[in-house]
Amino acid sequence: MIDGGPLRPDPASRWQPDGVHAASRLFDPNSVASPDAAVFRAAPISSAVIYELHIGTVTPEGTFDAATRRLAQLADLGVTHVEVMPINAFNGTRGWGYDGVAWYAAHEPYGGPQGFARFVHACHSRGLGVILDVVYNHLGPIGNYLPDFGPYLTDLYRTPWGGAVNLDGPDSDPVRAFIVGNAVYWLSTFGVDGLRLDAVHALIDMSSVHILAELSEAVAALSVRQGRPLALVAESDRNDPQTIRRREVGGMGLDAQWADDLHHALHTAVTGEHDGYYVDYGGLIDVAGAYQRGFVYDGHYSVHRRRTVGAPLHDVPGYRLVTSIQNHDQVGNRAVGDRLTTLVAPELVEVAIVLLCASPTTPMLFMGEEYGETNPFQYFTSHPEQDVADAVRAGRREEFAAFAAFSGGPVPDPQDPATMERSRLDWSRADTPPGRARQDLWRRLLQLRRDVPALRNGRRDLVEVLAVDDERLALLRRDEDGSGVLVVANLSDQDWHLALPDARWRLLLDTGRSHDAAAEPEGEHETCVHGRSASLWSMDTAGHVGPL
């Protein structure tokens, strides 16, 4: 109760067992102390493979405990980190988590703080790091009582989701401390290994020290105290290299950021879609550009945005860019949440998988992608308030005006429980022949990333494009010792007779041939790249490359 007003939950409540409007419950952080916290070391971002999941739909039960049953499969696949979509408490029982209002409390329907602690421990026991998605740029529309306690929001700025957080106005210091304290809480109390920071471009901060720099400094200090690596990964649509440059050279000091350009280029290449923001991308030509420059838009004019976007990455290594061919945004923010699996033929999905895994970036899978899930991932909410529910429905319909040609039908009602049910994974597909074959492809590719130096070095400057047009791509990724991997993709229906550069070559993988074909002997030869296929070829250190 504040000044005799209505009762409010603790703004930093660690436990909201009865929802975001009810009383807070005391929670002892010592009760979730993990025995592995002092010994587990997550893989560095430079060798990471990330798997994004939503706790509520990754299993039929939709709980932390149920999700642990799938961890062994992910570890076997070659995943190093599980990235969990936001678990902070939000209004209602169903949702993506980006409308959270109790940032310190784990959503009770998932299992609350105790359940999350068990989940983190289970991940660590399987050798998997945990990256938690956190949202500091706005608060949800219902259940946000922070303004009752202080100037947590500001009228000076707006975000696409409502009022902006007060990061640089009067009395903003405690607000910034609230954010930094939240990050430290998840990392220290639960042993989380990293945070994914949602939409950092909406963290509007004119302070001398940006909140991201302050946050990265605090996390770096915690990493030293705990003696284990901790990672901060930003989502940003600005293509700003300063986000991931070191603080010592004027950057924000974050370890990595989501980079959508490779996704957009691959998506346009295999689907042919060019509406909405896809109008800016030219398929395989931009895939090659993303391999070499990291950002396709690194100071170029965007037709969709009607302005110049981005800046050159220069010496920033490619592994600091997290890339995907599917994620919750690029699937869930389509009108009907349709996956790439249902948009194009399986052979073209496989080409996209190879081009993702062979890139000098950090690959990320979206849950179910490893076996070819076809169920959609749709936007769902469960606001009990009728006016809020109606507003969410209307806003969702209006959002897709630019994508009408590919909407696939009416926009699903976010408030309908069936929308969430349709979004649950169907794990039975993983045990079908196509499901097992798709998992085997991912497993082989991720193993090659670990074993082949040219595929794990993150060196964009050692990428040489040998041939590229709308349907065909051949490029070479080298290592410092002169060895290399030839990456070849053919999207057309016609075979491509490709004269391999002058070197000794060994076929590593070809989606257009049987698994046994990878055992071909080394030699100099012309190869037939079958239609709708991709292949990887290893070159020895004595190899000399000439023009194709």
Side-chain angles (χ1 to χ4, degrees), residues 42-81:
I45 289 294
S46 58
S47 60
V49 176
I50 302 171
Y51 185 94
E52 185 190 24
L53 61 82
H54 176 266
I55 290 294
T57 54
V58 73
T59 64
E61 300 89 342
T63 64
F64 294 124
D65 289 337
T68 63
R69 298 199 298 266
R70 296 297 173 182
L71 299 179
Q73 293 168 261
L74 302 185
D76 175 69
L77 197 70
V79 169
T80 65
H81 292 74

Side-chain angles (χ1 to χ4, degrees), residues 178-194:
F178 188 77
I179 290 174
V180 174
N182 182 260
V184 170
Y185 172 69
W186 293 115
L187 295 166
S188 59
T189 300
F190 293 91
V192 167
D193 305 284

Side-chain angles (χ1 to χ4, degrees), residues 27-38 113-114 117-118 121 188-191:
F27 168 69
D28 179 7
N30 294 321
S31 67
V32 297
S34 174
D36 59 31
Q114 296 284 353
R118 291 192 296 270
H121 175 60
S188 59
T189 300
F190 293 91

